[in-house]
Amino acid sequence: HVQLVESGGGSVQVGGSLRLSCTASGSVDLINKWAWFRQAPGKEREGVAHIYVPDGTLRYAETVRGRFTISLDAAKNIVFLQMNNLSPEDTAMYYCAARLSGSGRSWYGWTSFESYAYWGQGTQVTVST
């Protein structure tokens, strides 16, 4: 099992930046996929960024490409989401997710929340004008 804890959310003005962190504990050596999702009130959970650990492949939603950067500190088992040039449309609860190597869970693509078995509790990001 894996436990994930997010931090770094908060309130920021338009154009500002935040860095989210997700710290993992437990069977961290088995994590081969990390992702950040977000969910705004009344909307579906949206995949924002993804990292495939074995080769470092990064993927981003079109809505955040060029503004958000996902990165991994493997030594500390922390994945980050650097968010720049924030807009009100980025306001949401942000969640960290992880998938283990050899997971029997079906893979529906990196943007599908069903692909990940482990989730953090979320951290709120609010962007105001």
Side-chain angles (χ1 to χ4, degrees):
H1 291 289
V2 169
Q3 297 78 43
L4 304 175
V5 178
E6 302 98 334
S7 61
S11 297
V12 65
Q13 291 189 324
V14 170
S17 298
L18 284 172
R19 189 175 80 156
L20 306 183
S21 300
C22 174
T23 302
S25 59
S27 302
V28 296
D29 290 343
L30 297 179
I31 298 176
N32 70 343
K33 295 182 174 72
W34 295 82
W36 285 97
F37 282 72
R38 67 185 181 186
Q39 188 166 22
K43 294 188 177 182
E44 293 186 354
R45 192 167 295 193
E46 172 191 20
V48 172
H50 172 268
I51 182 168
Y52 179 54
V53 178
D55 64 10
T57 298
L58 308 179
R59 299 188 188 276
Y60 297 96
E62 285 301 318
T63 51
V64 306
R65 187 184 303 276
R67 300 187 298 123
F68 290 12
T69 302
I70 186 171
S71 61
L72 173 64
D73 185 334
K76 297 181 178 178
N77 303 312
I78 302 175
V79 66
F80 300 99
L81 186 67
Q82 177 67 44
M83 306 185 297
N84 298 327
N85 193 23
L86 286 161
S87 71
E89 289 71 32
D90 297 315
T91 295
M93 185 71 79
Y94 283 71
Y95 298 91
C96 175
R99 179 182 173 93
L100 305 188
S101 174
S103 169
R105 194 177 189 89
S106 296
W107 178 250
Y108 298 98
W110 76 267
T111 59
S112 173
F113 70 89
E114 295 173 307
S115 295
Y116 305 89
Y118 300 99
W119 293 84
Q121 81 289 349
T123 186
Q124 177 68 37
V125 171
T126 302
V127 184
S128 58
T129 57

